[in-house]
Amino acid sequence: MNKIIAIVGMCGVGKSVACEFLENTGYQKVYFGGVTMEKLKEEGLDVTPENEKMMRERLRSELGMGAYAKVLLPKIKELSEESNVVLDGLYSWDELKILKEEFGEAITVICVIADRALRYERLAKRDVRPFTNEEAMHRDMSEIENLAKGGPIAYADYYILNNGNIEEFEIRLKEILDDLGFTRKYTK
């Protein structure tokens, strides 16, 4: 079985940057947030932080805290038969338990962390869905309290402190990939 890497962490730590790096090394990406976006589109709702939060919480109230893993499991299985897979946006402890049960040791969890003030600064500057400090704080609280986001962060196999520059970040990612036995040449 090919490798499956789940990238976890709070909003603004650089999860998408890590996923993009892995995609550039040949990993196929499964974006958990895409489920939320698809559901909002189906219902004709605008993509706003409020609507995203509502949809995430609704999906989990209807399907349980492992909702996103349940919805995406067939896609992850299919992709992992052909290539390595990176999971962008795994949040809840139940999602991780479902994936660990299905894939066992083939799944590795990498947690990206950064100082909260730096995360909030990054979130305010991003082009897509920027957040004010207050919005970022509310999202943090909501994800911790309502989505059980802390479990995968606490249970990660590897950690990357992303308070520095992109070069330092990529060096740590390469160290982790090397530790996992990834032999492909890095394209970045």
Side-chain angles (χ1 to χ4, degrees), residues 33-176:
V35 174
T36 303
M37 302 307 170
E38 287 174 24
K39 296 292 184 185
L40 289 173
K41 185 178 177 181
E42 285 173 14
E43 294 190 17
L45 298 171
D46 291 332
V47 176
T48 66
E50 297 78 21
N51 284 345
E52 288 179 59
K53 176 181 182 255
M54 174 276 301
M55 187 57 70
R56 283 190 304 268
E57 291 177 1
R58 183 196 311 166
L59 286 169
R60 288 188 171 102
S61 72
E62 292 171 358
L63 301 174
M65 290 303 289
Y68 287 72
K70 290 175 185 174
V71 169
L72 292 170
L73 195 56
K75 182 177 183 176
I76 297 167
K77 282 182 182 178
E78 180 182 333
L79 287 173
S80 69
E81 290 174 7
E82 301 296 323
S83 66
N84 294 319
V85 177
V86 60
L87 307 178
D88 183 0
L90 181 145
Y91 278 21
S92 80
W93 179 244
D94 286 357
E95 289 169 349
L96 180 58
K97 288 191 310 186
I98 288 166
L99 294 173
K100 281 286 192 183
E101 184 176 304
E102 182 66 36
F103 299 109
E105 294 302 313
I107 187 167
T108 300
V109 179
I110 300 174
C111 177
V112 183
I113 57 175
D115 292 348
R116 185 172 22 167
L118 181 56
R119 289 193 302 109
Y120 288 5
E121 181 181 316
R122 289 173 180 160
L123 290 169
K125 292 178 180 176
R126 70 182 184 182
D127 294 332
V128 178
R129 297 178 297 133
F131 289 157
T132 66
N133 283 357
E134 186 175 331
E135 289 170 332
M137 183 194 68
H138 284 17
R139 180 163 178 172
D140 279 355
M141 296 297 188
S142 175
E143 289 179 349
I144 292 166
E145 293 173 354
N146 301 326
L147 302 181
K149 195 168 186 177
I153 291 170
Y155 195 70
D157 299 294
Y158 296 92
Y159 292 87
I160 299 173
L161 176 61
N162 188 19
N163 283 343
N165 61 41
I166 191 72
E167 290 81 18
E168 295 166 334
F169 186 69
E170 289 178 354
I171 286 169
R172 179 64 180 137
L173 270 170
K174 289 174 186 177
E175 289 172 354
I176 293 168

